[in-house]
Amino acid sequence: MEPKVLAILGQTESGKATFCENLCKLCGETIKTPKKEPFYYLKIYGLKYKNNPFYLLNTPGDENFMGEIKWALKVADAGILLVDTTSVLKYHNLRVFEFAKEEGVPLFVFLNKIDDLEKSNIEETLSNLNNTLEISHIPITYAFKQSNSFSLIDLIEEKVFIEEGLKIKYQELPENLKDKIIEMRDKLMESAAESSDTLIEKYLEEGKLEKEEILNGLKETVKKGNVNFVFTGSAKTGAGLVVFLEYMLHLPPSYKLKLEKENITPSNAIGFIFKNYIDPYAGKLSYGRIFVGNFTSDGVVYTSEGKEEKYTQIFIPKGDYLEQVKEVNEGEIIVFSKVESLTTGSTFSNAPISVSFSVPEMPFPMITMALHPETRADEDKISGAISKVKEEDPSIVFKRNEETRELLISGVGLPHIEKTVEKLKEKYGVKVKLTTPKIPYRETIKKPVQSVIYRHKKQTGGRGQFAEVHFHIFPLERGKGFEFVETLTGMNVPRNYVPAVEKGVREAMEKGPLAGYPVVDVKVQFYDGKSHEVDSSDLAFKIAAFHCFKKGIEQANPVLLEPYLELEIIVPDETVGDVVGDLNARRGRVLSLEKEGKRTKIKALAPMAELQGYVITLQGITAGRGYFIAKFSHYEEAPPFIAEKVIAESKEAQEKETK
């Protein structure tokens, strides 16, 4: 048997932590720090069942922490979708199903909380799953309510089962359930038979398959990913957990398929780092899965980025803690301690390597805020703290905007950013304030101005300063930037001063006349000027050019430009009208609507200023089911009421600075 790595998926409060902890306890492992939902990062558990290693990667159930799910699926043999049979099916289940499909990871479903006889509704939950995920769900184990209890049925064994510790006892089926169970078992056998011509022939001829044939058939069907097989039980009471583990020994595909999919044929040991934690006591802990070979303590690890580093200790997850070991084998989870070169997404080996696993694409960060350290001490510490936060969560993005001089933080949603700010404070002692980021407006001109002349003359005793420049200034098409043309004739201005003139213009463009934003989309023609053989210099011509441009642009009908973003918004069909209405209210323009199953992709353009915090409104309209990606599109002239407001705010800010 091979080690199994299972990604535990599901919405918040579906019982994932209880599921993982009780599986560990069942197999004799200790849980030192019980977790309660909700949690916001991957939690990794280790156990052994029948001496076979199992690793459970417990993922957050919150939409804001989807990045963690993608890293877990990258190394998992299968995903286990825990579904709460006592509550409404949330959109989160569809997103994780789609992520698993993208990664080629088969999904099993565990229908949980069947011990709540009053609220649990297994049939309705299964029906909702079929409709939401648009894929067949076929039970392997199932529960039937019997007055004040329930009977758990193993449909492959065709018997009732009772678990005592790690032992499974089988009993004959109750007469009143036989017909229903035969019907369900037939569906299971059909699914197994469809995996191969040999099995389908036998099934059509004999109308049944042996247990071993069903298992082999199901294993092949699992690989194809067109059916989700279902287990039923209670994480809280432990009902159904042992039978679940028993089938997990056989049904998930081999981890070696990951190598085939990535087209990797290594000659040495190879693995992939899927998580980094910065522990206050143990330092950096790098979690990886070994796909080929094994690793022993006190060795050297090499990465696909060309780095190599010595390490001493290695660990494996055991229960909910780490156990130091001398060797970790193929297929298992390994944890390196204090190895700086192992970043999340690193491919690692015990020898130099050139191949690497692909890295999952992180969810688009839908909200951006500006970070401001509260004190000078916080400012000194923030850089180191940010690099550690990024190690732990690659889906959070930090970027310094040189133009607005703001440090920006981008996350999937506001809770993602808030939890990161909380981590900065509690884990790294850095306090920050969040504000709405400044919008990078631009300024331009609408009409050409001919023959703008400026003379710079300064006499201060000794050598003075003299330069005169003559410009024509023209507006350019949107997005063309800046064009400088020199068309001097004669020798009024020596050509060696031309670079200084261009430099002066470029400096003047850094702050426009309206609100101090950069000037774009202009052409300056330097056609004439005057110089003095003693007093002219590069500095004099730069100053003259600076003021000539400023003078000319004032006369050229300057206007404010605002940035527009191109959006792709994915929403449920029934919310399209409300989402489009909201976009119109934000001065947005809908470009197209495209159907994608039960959802619609809205392509639109909207001003960046109107999209700050948009994710919060979108999730409100769609009950958390909408998401979007955005990229910069272009600049457009801002309407007068926007321009007036921006200009007034800019003047107010400038006045405060000068006080």
Side-chain angles (χ1 to χ4, degrees):
M1 288 290 176
E2 294 178 347
K4 299 294 177 193
V5 175
L6 308 175
I8 312 303
L9 312 165
Q11 66 198 44
T12 301
E13 305 295 346
S14 59
K16 299 187 298 291
T18 307
F19 181 78
C20 294
E21 289 173 7
N22 283 349
L23 278 172
C24 287
K25 289 175 188 173
L26 199 57
C27 296
E29 301 298 352
T30 305
I31 298 297
K32 292 186 175 180
T33 51
K35 285 281 167 200
K36 292 286 171 275
E37 294 190 53
F39 54 93
Y40 307 102
Y41 55 88
L42 265 184
K43 176 73 181 163
I44 296 131
Y45 299 82
L47 58 95
K48 280 190 176 178
Y49 175 69
K50 292 190 172 177
N51 213 31
N52 199 77
F54 276 82
Y55 297 99
L56 311 175
L57 315 183
N58 193 7
T59 63
D62 188 304
E63 290 289 301
N64 288 277
F65 304 92
M66 288 291 196
E68 297 288 272
I69 295 167
K70 290 199 161 198
W71 290 112
L73 288 168
K74 184 70 196 172
V75 295
D77 302 315
I80 312 300
L81 180 61
L82 252 74
V83 178
D84 182 351
T85 58
T86 69
S87 75
V88 178
L89 205 61
K90 288 186 182 170
Y91 181 61
H92 183 86
N93 297 288
L94 177 58
R95 290 298 300 280
V96 297
F97 169 67
E98 287 173 339
F99 287 168
K101 210 170 177 181
E102 279 170 28
E103 196 54 52
V105 174
L107 210 60
F108 294 93
V109 172
F110 188 92
L111 298 177
N112 194 22
K113 302 190 183 180
I114 62 162
D115 54 302
D116 188 338
L117 294 168
E118 201 176 302
K119 293 182 185 172
S120 175
N121 192 328
I122 300 168
E123 278 188 38
E124 189 181 309
T125 304
L126 260 185
S127 171
N128 290 341
L129 273 170
N130 287 332
N131 292 333
T132 303
L133 305 189
E134 296 180 327
I135 190 173
S136 293
H137 289 80
I138 298 176
I140 290 175
T141 67
Y142 201 74
F144 290 94
K145 287 181 188 176
Q146 302 278 79
S147 61
N148 292 328
S149 66
F150 54 83
S151 295
L152 275 169
I153 314 294
D154 182 330
L155 293 162
I156 294 177
E157 295 286 352
E158 217 173 344
K159 286 182 178 167
V160 174
F161 67 88
I162 297 165
E163 296 148 312
E164 293 176 359
L166 289 175
K167 288 182 181 172
I168 305 165
K169 289 187 176 179
Y170 290 101
Q171 297 176 352
E172 292 307 313
L173 295 173
E175 281 299 323
N176 64 325
L177 296 179
K178 276 187 177 175
D179 290 346
K180 177 71 177 166
I181 288 162
I182 286 166
E183 184 189 323
M184 292 175 82
R185 191 172 193 269
D186 284 347
K187 280 188 182 173
L188 196 59
M189 279 195 291
E190 279 171 28
S191 186
E194 285 168 4
S195 67
S196 76
D197 293 342
T198 312
L199 286 179
I200 207 154
E201 277 175 33
K202 181 177 177 183
Y203 182 63
L204 289 172
E205 281 174 22
E206 300 179 20
K208 64 174 187 172
L209 297 173
E210 300 305 318
K211 179 186 172 183
E212 207 57 41
E213 290 169 326
I214 295 173
L215 281 174
N216 290 338
L218 293 180
K219 188 164 186 173
E220 288 306 309
T221 306
V222 164
K223 281 185 201 172
K224 292 174 185 171
N226 48 13
V227 173
N228 289 346
F229 291 108
V230 178
F231 296 89
T232 315
S234 166
K236 185 178 169 185
T237 67
L241 294 189
V242 184
V243 171
F244 165 79
L245 274 178
E246 187 64 36
Y247 282 115
M248 285 301 107
L249 279 176
H250 304 283
L251 295 179
S254 169
Y255 61 86
K256 290 170 185 170
L257 284 179
K258 299 261 185 194
L259 294 167
E260 287 176 31
K261 192 179 140 202
E262 298 266 353
N263 202 20
I264 291 174
T265 49
S267 49
N268 297 294
I270 194 167
F272 181 83
I273 299 293
F274 63 92
K275 183 68 188 170
N276 270 296
Y277 288 108
I278 311 293
D279 187 273
Y281 308 107
K284 181 177 171 180
L285 298 170
S286 304
Y287 287 71
R289 187 173 192 189
I290 303 170
F291 288 97
V292 173
N294 54 23
F295 283 78
T296 55
S297 56
D298 298 300
V300 178
V301 66
Y302 298 80
T303 74
S304 50
E305 293 86 16
K307 295 175 182 174
E308 63 178 274
E309 195 172 336
K310 287 181 180 176
Y311 64 89
T312 51
Q313 299 173 323
I314 53 173
F315 304 82
I316 57 166
K318 184 176 169 62
D320 67 341
Y321 62 98
L322 297 179
E323 179 180 62
Q324 191 175 342
V325 291
K326 293 288 182 192
E327 185 176 27
V328 184
N329 298 312
E330 185 170 302
E332 294 198 64
I333 299 289
I334 185 171
V335 184
F336 293 94
S337 172
K338 298 174 183 172
V339 182
E340 288 309 311
S341 57
L342 292 175
T343 56
T344 308
S346 288
T347 300
F348 63 91
S349 180
N350 56 3
I353 47 165
S354 54
V355 295
S356 61
F357 285 89
S358 61
V359 171
E361 187 182 341
M362 289 294 96
F364 180 78
M366 295 187 283
I367 187 166
T368 297
M369 301 293 283
L371 275 184
H372 304 278
E374 286 191 9
T375 66
R376 189 59 184 265
D378 293 322
E379 198 168 327
D380 292 341
K381 290 188 287 185
I382 197 165
S383 181
I386 281 173
S387 65
K388 287 174 180 173
V389 165
K390 282 166 79 174
E391 281 265 25
E392 291 190 298
D393 180 8
S395 67
I396 200 91
V397 179
F398 292 93
K399 182 183 169 189
R400 188 166 288 284
N401 186 321
E402 295 303 332
E403 182 186 325
T404 62
R405 294 178 186 171
E406 288 181 314
L407 176 60
L408 303 178
I409 177 173
S410 302
V412 175
L414 190 58
H416 191 196
I417 289 177
E418 287 171 342
K419 283 290 163 192
T420 304
V421 167
E422 199 177 291
K423 187 189 281 186
L424 282 170
K425 179 185 170 185
E426 292 178 5
K427 203 169 180 180
Y428 303 111
V430 177
K431 291 181 185 175
V432 295
K433 286 178 183 169
L434 289 173
T435 62
T436 304
K438 294 173 186 171
I439 301 295
Y441 292 103
R442 295 284 183 268
E443 297 181 28
T444 193
I445 56 173
K446 290 186 80 172
K447 72 172 188 183
V449 182
Q450 302 283 336
S451 307
V452 184
I453 300 171
Y454 187 88
R455 175 179 288 188
H456 172 65
K457 188 175 180 182
K458 196 172 185 183
Q459 201 69 43
T460 53
R463 187 179 171 184
Q465 291 182 17
F466 180 87
E468 182 176 301
V469 292
H470 300 194
F471 290 166
H472 298 317
I473 301 174
F474 308 94
L476 287 178
E477 265 181 64
R478 198 68 62 243
K480 290 290 183 186
F482 170 60
E483 202 178 312
F484 180 82
V485 182
E486 172 261 301
T487 55
L488 295 170
T489 54
M491 291 306 295
N492 283 350
V493 179
R495 302 305 184 265
N496 58 301
Y497 292 133
V498 172
V501 170
E502 182 176 350
K503 192 175 181 186
V505 172
R506 286 186 181 275
E507 283 185 17
M509 288 174 67
E510 287 173 11
K511 286 193 171 184
L514 297 175
Y517 289 101
V519 177
V520 294
D521 303 335
V522 292
K523 175 181 174 180
V524 173
Q525 182 183 354
F526 177 28
Y527 69 92
D528 201 0
K530 289 180 183 174
S531 61
H532 187 280
E533 59 186 40
V534 176
D535 292 346
S536 287
S537 64
D538 280 345
L539 178 63
F541 270 97
K542 191 178 94 165
I543 292 169
F546 181 93
H547 290 291
C548 190
F549 182 81
K550 291 276 190 190
K551 178 183 173 184
I553 208 152
E554 292 270 13
Q555 304 163 23
N557 192 3
V559 291
L560 189 77
L561 299 176
E562 62 177 341
Y564 269 66
L565 298 183
E566 188 180 317
L567 299 163
E568 281 189 7
I569 312 162
I570 315 295
V571 297
D573 289 347
E574 65 272 21
T575 64
V576 170
D578 290 339
V579 172
V580 168
D582 177 67
L583 276 172
N584 291 336
R586 294 170 186 270
R587 300 187 286 123
R589 300 195 294 275
V590 174
L591 305 176
S592 68
L593 300 174
E594 295 172 23
K595 282 281 288 167
E596 290 188 351
K598 293 180 180 177
R599 289 173 293 178
T600 299
K601 182 196 282 183
I602 303 168
K603 289 189 176 180
L605 290 169
M608 184 189 284
E610 302 286 350
L611 294 172
Q612 292 185 314
Y614 176 58
V615 64
I616 299 163
T617 305
L618 180 67
Q619 291 185 339
I621 294 171
T622 62
R625 296 173 294 166
Y627 60 97
F628 70 90
I629 56 172
K631 62 180 180 184
F632 171 75
S633 174
H634 63 283
Y635 276 89
E636 278 188 25
E637 184 180 340
F641 72 97
I642 295 292
E644 285 163 17
K645 185 183 170 195
V646 172
I647 292 164
E649 285 171 357
S650 171
K651 282 180 179 166
E652 194 181 316
Q654 284 169 13
E655 282 167 12
K656 277 183 187 174
E657 278 178 27
T658 53
K659 280 180 184 177

